[in-house]
Amino acid sequence: MENQSRISDLLQSALDDLLEEDFKRFKDKLSHSGFKGKGTIPRGRLEKADRVDTKNILIAFYGGDAAVDVTIEILAKINVRGPAANLKKDREKVVCSCSSLSISCSLGEQAQEQTLDRYCGGSQRGRSPGSTALNLGGSGFPAAIRIGEDLHPNGKPLELSAKGEHFVNRHRADLIQRVCMVDSIIDMLYGTVLDEEQYQSIRAEKTNPDKMRKLYEFMPSWNWYCKEQLYQALKAKNKFLIEELESK
């Protein structure tokens, strides 16, 4: 599993190193070229995006490790080879292994099996979404549940409750009523979690709460990876609200 916190830092550093003109050329190339078989990021999503927004869009659209590959490729194409070489070198230092994050918990055997089914799917148990084999610790619980390193004192991911309930499910009511900048959030989910029809149906709603309710209508079909993408987008755009809810 990718260490998304490290990947995010690497991408941010690479984009921060670009001159303003190079950054404009980077976004232009990104909006006109398809990578990793995913098509192109809509130009409108990138037009007013700053470096932080662009990094988050890259990660949401391509996934963490692939976003680094795409960034290196674009930098090379626009002939900004110094930052491209630095990013490639720094990425090689990042150890993206499931064993980098160890989680200890006292879930019973049945709860462990349910959690594995929830995150990996019954037919793909032992593998994280879109990643390499999932490492199991001595307790039988995944040694790396999610990308990143934000943990409760008891060692569980911040967005995972003792019953295996994801943060976005646990705080549904608060998120619907209090989240702002929903359009920016769904921009980050477009292409990876939301298709064009879903994206447009959410945008058509008039208020932020109505947009969040519409977003939640699609959630029953989501797996853990989709919910994690929403969680990361919420953290990026509503940092203090998410920190408040995580402390409950």
Side-chain angles (χ1 to χ4, degrees):
M1 180 177 286
E2 301 162 323
N3 185 332
Q4 184 160 336
S5 178
R6 295 286 302 279
I7 293 293
S8 177
D9 289 344
L10 292 180
L11 286 172
Q12 191 64 61
S13 178
L15 295 177
D16 286 344
D17 280 344
L18 298 180
L19 298 174
E20 188 62 33
E21 183 61 31
D22 291 335
F23 180 58
K24 289 180 180 179
R25 292 194 296 128
F26 178 89
K27 291 198 298 179
D28 182 69
K29 179 65 70 175
L30 183 59
S31 67
H32 284 91
S33 304
F35 300 92
K36 300 292 183 180
K38 302 259 311 176
T40 59
I41 298 174
R43 187 177 181 85
R45 296 179 63 192
L46 292 166
E47 185 175 4
K48 296 183 179 180
D50 60 18
R51 286 166 169 78
V52 174
D53 294 332
T54 301
K55 174 206 67 176
N56 289 331
I57 291 171
L58 277 164
I59 292 175
F61 194 81
Y62 292 109
D65 202 45
V68 177
D69 292 333
V70 170
T71 300
I72 292 171
E73 184 174 347
I74 294 176
L75 290 174
K77 284 186 174 182
I78 64 174
N79 204 31
V80 184
R81 302 190 180 276
N86 290 337
L87 178 57
K88 184 176 181 179
K89 180 179 179 181
D90 290 341
R91 197 268 295 276
E92 291 172 353
K93 298 177 182 178
V94 177
V95 179
C96 298
S97 66
C98 294
S99 59
S100 63
L101 177 60
S102 179
I103 294 177
S104 299
C105 66
S106 57
L107 291 178
E109 182 178 353
Q110 181 179 4
Q112 293 170 8
E113 292 294 321
Q114 291 173 346
T115 303
L116 286 171
D117 285 342
R118 182 181 296 110
Y119 289 118
C120 303
S123 64
Q124 297 183 13
R125 184 175 300 165
R127 295 187 65 83
S128 58
S131 182
T132 55
L134 188 64
N135 187 7
L136 298 180
S139 65
F141 199 75
I145 295 276
R146 62 172 287 267
I147 297 169
E149 300 175 346
D150 298 329
L151 303 177
H152 277 309
N154 63 6
K156 298 173 188 174
L158 283 171
E159 77 278 21
L160 183 67
S161 73
K163 295 181 180 180
E165 187 178 24
H166 197 282
F167 177 92
V168 297
N169 295 113
R170 192 162 71 254
H171 297 291
R172 181 180 187 275
D174 280 319
L175 293 173
I176 288 175
Q177 293 300 323
R178 300 176 63 188
V179 165
C180 60
M181 300 178 66
V182 178
D183 284 347
S184 295
I185 290 169
I186 64 173
D187 280 347
M188 297 175 66
L189 301 178
Y190 179 80
T192 53
V193 177
L194 300 174
D195 60 27
E196 179 68 22
E197 182 178 354
Q198 294 169 335
Y199 175 80
Q200 294 298 339
S201 69
I202 296 170
R203 283 186 59 88
E205 299 294 334
K206 301 299 183 182
T207 67
N208 281 322
D210 286 341
K211 290 178 180 182
M212 287 298 294
R213 289 190 187 94
K214 176 61 70 172
L215 178 61
Y216 269 92
E217 287 181 12
F218 303 121
M219 194 172 293
S221 65
W222 289 7
N223 59 15
W224 169 85
Y225 176 79
C226 297
K227 294 178 182 179
E228 176 67 7
Q229 296 304 300
L230 173 57
Y231 171 77
Q232 295 296 339
L234 289 168
K235 285 185 70 175
K237 298 299 180 181
N238 290 258
K239 175 182 177 181
F240 298 111
L241 170 60
I242 301 309
E243 287 180 352
E244 175 191 330
L245 295 178
E246 286 175 336
S247 67
K248 291 184 177 180

